Amino acid sequence: MITLTDVHKAFGSNKVLQGVNLHIARGESMVIIGGSGTGKSVALKSVLGLIKPDSGKIEVDGQDIDRAERDAFLARFGMLFQGGALFDSLPVWQNVAFRLMRGSLKRPNSEAREIAIEKLRRVGLKPEVADLFPSELSGGMQKRVGLARAIAAEPEIIFFDEPTTGLDPIMAGVINELIREIVVEMGATAMTITHDMTSVRAIADKVAMLHDGVIKWTGPVADMDDSGDPYLDQFIHGRAEGPIEAVR
Amino acid sequence: MINTLTSPLAALGRQILGMLAIVGKIAMFAFDTLTHLIRPPFYWREFGIQLIHIGWLSLPVVGLTTLFTGGALALQIYAGGARFNAESVVPSIVAIGMVRELGPVLAGLMVAARVASSIAAEIGTMKVTEQIDALVTLSTHPMKYLTLPRVLAATLAMPILVAVGDAIGIMGGYFVGISRLDFNSAAYLKNTVDFLELWDVSSGMIKGAAFGFIVATMGCFYGMNSGRGAQGVGSATKTAVVAASILILATNYLLTELFFSA
């Protein structure tokens, strides 16, 4: 469904992606792991067209993303941002229903609000939260609202950018469970980037390890512990010693 | 030796090239904003909100500024005019000075301080917290949703702010004239009305529209191009206000040349 072929991206002299090759099948939950600054977010944002790669090809359902009609293309995606990225000036329900209140998916406000409340309920939030503003919510609640917004228009593909960063272990577990449930329930294709190994085991069907701008290893999550790949091994066990240089 | 002599010139050249590059980027940004005027969708609700934020909520600041300036202007013209027995020109000079120059420039500078900073800080924060990226993923063009409503609202609201500021400024001069300078109320008002021409007022309002466009464009441009973190947003905010203020003063000179040079 999503294919990245020899994708390169540099920011000045900093070569972030140096030939990324990756394929995510329809309905699969792919988790990309790797250290901070290895280009996980750049890879994800390149698929959405938020960052333009220097070279290489990115295809969704065999169609080059540069040739796709932008609105129709983006309508297939939902995304949960690392910090939630909720719009401060709008109440929670309008954040969730944002896509349903404008553009090709526009519907009456009352209907959009109903859908927003239903999605909030799906992520474990009460209807009273709908009229609050993002600044009145805790970090965990903001993540849930972000998740509700990502699924509001029932997208085919959902991206999760560091979904558990900044959350306590219990809330992180709740978010992981929600993500897994929603992806299975909707039959969506998911791409998650994280360095939280608990998340990886909870969310992933397949795992890809990004290091030095390339995918070092990819395979089913069940094979991760016996991969024999020294990079993956060092990363998943959090060892300071190994081929990945730890800056002290 | 040659290197020592030429290196300051090279540094100066780099600065000038850098500045020209920014001018080019701002021009392209402004042009891009205007092209969205003729490409749907247009977000009316955002436009309405910005009209209130930029126009209505700037009224107290503009009103107070022009009120005190009108009063001070009356005192200065009276004191200056007394040197050649021309105290009677106070009403007409206050009126012409306010509507042609001080009204639009002061309103422009005050709105630059209030609005350019707020727009740059808001959009800059949205950028660093990935809200702009979120807009894109929600199939909403940031230029249409954030920039165009602000630029259009500022361009349309500023002439009205200038007109209100002009009236309050003239009123400030009038109050000082009748209470401190012993002018007759009816004579002061008659002198003000008799000497003012429609072009005096409308030229100031045209200036206001240009200043409104500059203020919102600078706020949006520097917000959209804000650096990371609190320092990046702070720097974008400061630069937006400074750039808007300088551009307002430069544009004011150019428009005055265009409108009033012999």
Side-chain angles (χ1 to χ4, degrees), chain B residues 64-87:
Chain B
L64 283 172
T65 308
T66 50
L67 177 73
F68 291 122
T69 305
L73 193 60
L75 289 174
Q76 286 286 12
I77 293 166
Y78 186 83
R83 291 176 193 170
F84 38 89
N85 297 322
E87 295 94 330

Side-chain angles (χ1 to χ4, degrees), chain A:
Chain A
M1 183 168 203
I2 302 172
T3 308
L4 290 84
T5 311
D6 199 25
V7 174
H8 287 73
K9 178 68 190 176
F11 295 97
S13 59
N14 182 20
K15 294 177 179 171
V16 181
L17 304 181
Q18 301 183 58
V20 170
N21 292 294
L22 186 68
H23 177 73
I24 305 170
R26 183 180 295 277
E28 187 173 81
S29 175
M30 169 69 81
V31 175
I32 302 177
I33 57 173
S36 300
T38 51
K40 302 187 299 292
S41 291
V42 175
L44 186 144
K45 288 182 178 178
S46 297
V47 177
L48 282 168
L50 295 172
I51 292 176
K52 192 162 175 54
D54 298 330
S55 64
K57 197 152 85 170
I58 302 175
E59 293 168 309
V60 175
D61 276 344
Q63 188 186 24
D64 193 323
I65 61 163
D66 289 335
R67 295 200 185 134
E69 202 276 309
R70 199 80 187 119
D71 276 359
F73 172 76
L74 287 169
R76 302 175 66 185
F77 288 85
M79 174 145 178
L80 171 60
F81 285 84
Q82 187 174 347
L86 302 177
F87 306 123
D88 311 317
S89 57
L90 300 178
V92 164
W93 80 266
Q94 286 187 28
N95 265 282
V96 175
F98 192 89
R99 204 198 277 270
L100 307 175
M101 295 173 72
R102 41 189 69 74
S104 55
L105 300 174
K106 187 175 164 54
R107 53 197 78 193
N109 275 6
S110 56
E111 193 185 331
R113 186 184 160 90
E114 263 176 44
I115 295 172
I117 288 174
E118 182 213 319
K119 298 298 176 191
L120 286 170
R121 204 175 275 128
R122 178 65 196 89
V123 298
L125 292 173
K126 292 177 181 163
E128 299 87 82
V129 173
D131 293 314
L132 298 178
F133 280 84
S135 58
E136 298 173 273
L137 307 178
S138 68
M141 287 166 90
Q142 288 189 13
K143 277 272 161 77
R144 289 186 196 218
V145 174
L147 185 53
R149 183 173 71 183
I151 61 171
E154 310 208 333
E156 296 167 57
I157 306 161
I158 314 178
F159 286 178
F160 303 97
D161 184 0
E162 307 275 9
T164 55
T165 298
L167 300 180
D168 65 68
I170 297 169
M171 185 51 70
V174 170
I175 295 289
N176 285 335
E177 267 179 35
L178 271 172
I179 289 174
R180 186 70 210 176
E181 279 171 25
I182 286 168
V183 168
V184 170
E185 183 179 296
M186 291 172 62
T189 305
M191 182 170 163
T192 307
I193 57 175
T194 185
H195 41 227
D196 174 356
M197 292 315 297
T198 314
S199 275
V200 177
R201 293 177 200 285
I203 297 171
D205 294 325
K206 282 181 83 175
V207 177
M209 163 89 186
L210 185 62
H211 183 70
D212 278 345
V214 294
I215 299 290
K216 288 281 185 192
W217 183 87
T218 184
V221 67
D223 297 351
M224 189 173 64
D225 292 312
D226 309 310
S227 68
D229 183 272
Y231 290 92
L232 181 66
D233 220 35
Q234 183 189 354
F235 188 85
I236 63 176
H237 292 106
R239 293 193 199 108
E241 305 298 323
I244 302 172
E245 196 181 335
V247 181
R248 289 168 194 264

Side-chain angles (χ1 to χ4, degrees), chain B residues 27 34 60 74-75 101 108 156 163 168 172 197 199 217-218 224 227 229 242:
Chain B
L34 291 178
L75 289 174
E101 285 297 321
L156 295 178
I168 295 174
E197 291 175 9
W199 177 235
T217 304
M218 290 299 104
M224 289 281 190
V242 171

